[in-house]
Amino acid sequence: MKRPLRALAAASYLGLLALVIVWEGWLAPPTPVPRAFWMGLKALPLLVPLYPLLRGGGRAHVLSALLVLLYFSEGVAVAYTDGRREAWGGVAYGLTQTALAVAFIVSATFYARVIGRDRPVRDSSGMEP
């Protein structure tokens, strides 16, 4: 059960990172602010927990799920606002970002829960019973 959850979490996280880089680097509509600024602002927070996440740490999965909630919120907002403006590229980006965020949050939460059950219970002194 651990292996598929960890694989889904890693795939959706890396997919979200790739989506943000591709969108902000090439596909996003032009803005007065340089693309590199937006790419750095959105991609760097995803790079911080990447190494411990790929190593399979339970805490990294939980903290990354909290971080990805921001990307879920942005995806919903982009899909809604671009849908009202009939900018279908932005709608596709927002919906894809939202779907990847939901997939990661669910799989990372269940993965952390499953590996948490496998760890021995310790009492208040730090010793196993």
Side-chain angles (χ1 to χ4, degrees):
M1 184 68 166
K2 287 190 281 190
R3 180 165 262 150
L5 288 172
R6 184 174 172 194
L8 179 60
S12 57
Y13 194 83
L14 292 173
L16 182 62
L17 179 61
L19 178 70
V20 167
I21 290 171
V22 168
W23 176 259
E24 295 302 334
W26 294 277
L27 301 176
T31 64
V33 181
R35 289 183 185 272
F37 172 78
W38 289 115
M39 190 182 328
L41 185 69
K42 292 183 181 178
L44 284 179
L46 290 173
L47 290 175
V48 172
L50 185 61
Y51 181 69
L53 185 82
L54 294 178
R55 289 188 57 218
R59 287 187 181 150
H61 280 77
V62 172
L63 294 175
S64 298
L66 294 173
L67 172 68
V68 170
L69 281 172
L70 296 171
Y71 294 87
F72 169 80
S73 301
E74 185 207 9
V76 170
V78 167
Y80 177 76
T81 56
D82 283 358
R84 293 192 48 102
R85 293 184 303 150
E86 297 183 2
W88 304 118
V91 172
Y93 166 70
L95 292 176
T96 306
Q97 185 175 7
T98 302
L100 287 170
V102 167
F104 176 75
I105 292 167
V106 170
S107 60
T109 302
F110 282 116
Y111 174 75
R113 186 174 179 175
V114 166
I115 67 167
R117 278 193 220 145
D118 293 346
R119 297 182 190 262
V121 177
R122 299 182 187 273
D123 63 7
S124 60
S125 66
M127 301 296 292
E128 293 181 23

